[in-house]
Amino acid sequence: MNATLALLDSYFRSRRDFQRLRGSRLKAYQDQRARAVVAHAVARAPFYAQHYRQADLADWRTLPSVDKQLMMANFAAFNTHGIALSEAMEVALSAERCRDFRPTVRGLTVGLSSGTSGHRSLFLADRNEQARWVGVVLARLLPPFRLRGYTVTLFSQSGSNLYEDLRGRWIRFCHHDLATGIDAAVHCLNAEQPDLLCGPPSYLEMLAIRQTAGELRISPRKIVSVAEVLEPQVARALAESFGCPVFQIYQCTEGLIGISCPHGQLHLQEDIMASQFEPLGTTADAPATPVITDLWHRTLPIIRYRLNDVVTLSSEDCTCGSAFQVIENVAGRCDDVCEFLDANGSLKPIFPATLRRLILLADEAISDYEALQQHPSQLHVRVTVADGADPARLAESVENILMAGLREQGVVAPTIEVETGIIGPVEGKRRRIRKVGSTDARSSEIHDAATA
Ligand SMILES: [Zn+2]
């Protein structure tokens, strides 16, 4: 199949299967696809042949899991083309330096996650795999077909050779580097007038300020958040500024996990990626960490791959009619779950959603926040407050509400420092809650839509 056919096939399949696959039919579909990927991996990737030597291959849902560390340590044996890590890395790094977004290794596209150096992960994909990805995203995000087509503008860290192919009559695709200054971006967007505006929320927020100020004058039909955690208060602010709904794509370097449906719920893409979940707590509604199996990619097989993300699943079905599981929220990375001491001196995890809720609850004048933990008995919080608010009173209120909230969770007297001030533009990926000193070697960066 050539890439155009693969794109169309995946587009039409995705439109059909979102509603059609459910229950035992979905399970049978995943079983059939996963078994084929497992068989291919065992035949062509020596790592998997060795890793599964004592396993029952038909029972793929219980195969030994893998993670980023294992993948990076065994890269040449992990991919099915025998491409060495050094070879792929050299091409990816040199492409990044030259801002040349068409790096290929032996005909395969190579990409690099935007993590911190030393913890970055690589992906490899052939043209059909990339085309399939585009087919799914278009099928699930574009409004219904219309003759004059749509303009899609994406701001992302890196481009892709695939985007060149997307410039057709039906889709006018514009890609800009995140290094584009906001003035220049406003200028481009006023000319492009996108129907769909996609980018990381921290960048979209800067554009929203210009839209509110009247300098940016666009009326998109949808905003699509990619590459970073989309916090609910940010989603609301973006929707208000641009006057349209905000959707999100949840994906990591290793693959596409979730896309918002027309009803605004983030659904697992269960026909593309089979996700299993390991709970991070004992209660039924505790957050969980995904273990993913890509049902299509064979160049770099992702089978029972443990991510480093914290997500909360919804217990409700979506009213859109799809049975694909709804993700209530993607909170970030496991490494950024802060830990505090309880009365026994044990570490107690406090999930990002809890800290966010407490901080934003403290006062309506708080428009943004960051929290940094360097030690289990400490938390440093920075909040942006609206003009006219009293910073000292606000800081005290944040401290009090955090103290009370943490105490309720069994945490014993941490030191909480609160600072007020404007949180300026952020270099790189925005992480509002961070725990430093944690290892992120196993981390899956929630990654640019650009590069999967
Ligand atoms: Zn839905």
Side-chain angles (χ1 to χ4, degrees):
M1 206 183 275
N2 71 28
T4 308
L5 283 179
L7 192 154
L8 290 172
D9 178 66
S10 123
Y11 177 84
F12 289 110
R13 264 176 194 271
S14 303
R15 288 197 81 96
R16 183 193 65 193
D17 290 347
F18 191 57
Q19 300 277 351
R20 188 183 70 107
L21 293 177
R22 56 182 64 233
S24 56
R25 186 184 246 179
L26 173 62
K27 184 173 178 295
Y29 181 87
Q30 290 186 335
D31 284 348
Q32 183 223 334
R33 293 224 59 93
R35 283 185 191 126
V37 170
V38 168
H40 186 83
V42 169
R44 304 278 183 85
F47 169 83
Y48 279 107
Q50 173 69 16
H51 200 53
Y52 296 159
R53 68 194 180 283
Q54 286 170 335
D56 172 8
L57 297 184
D59 191 9
W60 67 274
R61 289 176 204 266
T62 62
L63 286 170
S65 62
V66 298
D67 57 22
K68 179 158 127 186
Q69 240 171 348
L70 273 177
M71 177 176 86
M72 295 303 276
N74 300 280
F75 193 78
F78 204 98
N79 72 75
T80 55
H81 292 247
I83 292 171
L85 181 66
S86 55
E87 188 184 353
M89 193 61 98
E90 200 175 302
V91 171
L93 287 174
S94 98
E96 201 172 64
R97 277 193 296 271
C98 317
R99 310 306 292 164
D100 162 13
F101 296 130
R102 296 179 215 190
T104 54
V105 178
R106 294 188 233 163
L108 299 169
T109 293
V110 50
L112 197 55
S113 78
S114 44
T116 48
S117 94
H119 297 313
R120 306 181 71 175
S121 63
L122 272 173
F123 79 91
L124 289 174
D126 67 21
R127 286 191 68 77
N128 282 2
E129 288 169 338
Q130 285 203 292
R132 287 205 159 276
W133 176 86
V134 173
V136 176
V137 171
L138 294 183
R140 303 233 156 117
L141 279 181
L142 273 192
F145 181 81
R146 70 171 183 192
L147 218 53
R148 65 189 172 94
Y150 293 102
T151 302
V152 178
T153 299
L154 168 69
F155 288 86
S156 75
Q157 197 65 48
S158 45
S160 159
N161 43 18
L162 200 67
Y163 298 156
E164 299 301 320
D165 301 351
L166 276 175
R167 288 173 222 275
R169 181 180 298 184
W170 190 49
I171 295 172
R172 292 165 298 278
F173 191 83
C174 317
H175 173 258
H176 305 288
D177 199 312
L178 280 179
T180 309
I182 290 296
D183 287 337
V186 166
H187 184 73
C188 292
L189 286 167
N190 280 333
E192 289 161 7
Q193 290 296 322
D195 297 295
L196 251 72
L197 170 62
C198 320
S202 55
Y203 197 84
L204 296 174
E205 276 186 289
M206 294 194 279
L207 291 173
I209 294 172
R210 300 301 184 98
Q211 175 88 0
T212 307
E215 295 158 24
L216 177 60
R217 290 174 298 277
I218 56 173
S219 14
R221 297 168 63 116
K222 276 184 183 181
I223 298 290
V224 182
S225 155
V226 299
E228 287 170 2
V229 168
L230 174 67
E231 302 218 345
Q233 76 280 6
V234 174
R236 280 193 297 274
L238 291 176
E240 199 173 303
S241 301
F242 290 105
C244 70
V246 179
F247 293 79
Q248 62 176 318
I249 296 181
Y250 168 33
Q251 101 160 11
C252 58
T253 323
E254 295 79 7
L256 177 63
I257 303 170
I259 300 181
S260 302
C261 74
H263 289 214
Q265 301 287 335
L266 182 62
H267 286 265
L268 288 178
Q269 302 298 292
E270 301 200 66
D271 54 341
I272 307 301
M273 182 78 80
S275 304
Q276 297 166 290
F277 292 90
E278 294 182 349
L280 293 167
T282 46
T283 54
D285 59 350
T289 190
V291 178
I292 57 172
T293 299
D294 194 305
L295 302 172
W296 291 91
H297 280 218
R298 295 183 174 197
T299 304
L300 186 66
I302 296 295
I303 305 166
R304 300 238 323 121
Y305 185 108
R306 180 176 290 100
L307 294 180
N308 185 37
D309 293 347
V310 182
V311 305
T312 307
L313 299 176
S314 167
S315 54
E316 317 236 324
D317 289 337
C318 183
T319 47
C320 74
S322 171
F324 290 179
Q325 170 73 48
V326 174
I327 304 171
E328 203 164 281
N329 74 67
V330 181
R333 313 176 340 159
C334 295
D335 299 325
D336 286 333
V337 174
C338 295
E339 291 178 306
F340 295 90
L341 295 169
D342 67 11
N344 303 322
S346 317
L347 290 174
K348 167 136 188 101
I350 300 293
F351 293 101
T354 309
L355 290 180
R356 176 181 63 235
R357 185 175 53 82
L358 291 170
I359 295 168
L360 294 178
L361 260 181
D363 201 294
E364 278 186 352
I366 297 173
S367 58
D368 202 356
Y369 76 95
E370 267 169 17
L372 176 71
Q373 185 179 45
Q374 290 170 303
H375 188 271
S377 58
Q378 164 274 351
L379 186 71
H380 186 98
V381 179
R382 202 145 65 104
V383 290
T384 304
V385 297
D387 290 343
D390 174 357
R393 190 186 55 76
L394 265 173
E396 195 185 329
S397 150
V398 171
E399 188 182 334
N400 290 343
I401 202 163
L402 272 171
M403 275 295 189
L406 289 172
R407 205 174 298 129
E408 221 170 84
Q409 305 262 342
V411 169
V412 178
T415 311
I416 295 175
E417 307 145 69
V418 183
E419 191 189 329
T420 54
I422 306 288
I423 299 171
V426 197
E427 282 280 309
K429 205 178 287 268
R430 179 89 198 259
R431 283 154 65 195
R432 282 188 170 75
I433 298 183
R434 282 188 305 142
K435 188 171 69 174
V436 297
S438 64
T439 162
D440 62 355
R442 289 181 303 114
S443 124
S444 78
E445 295 289 329
I446 295 173
H447 186 54
D448 261 272
T451 43

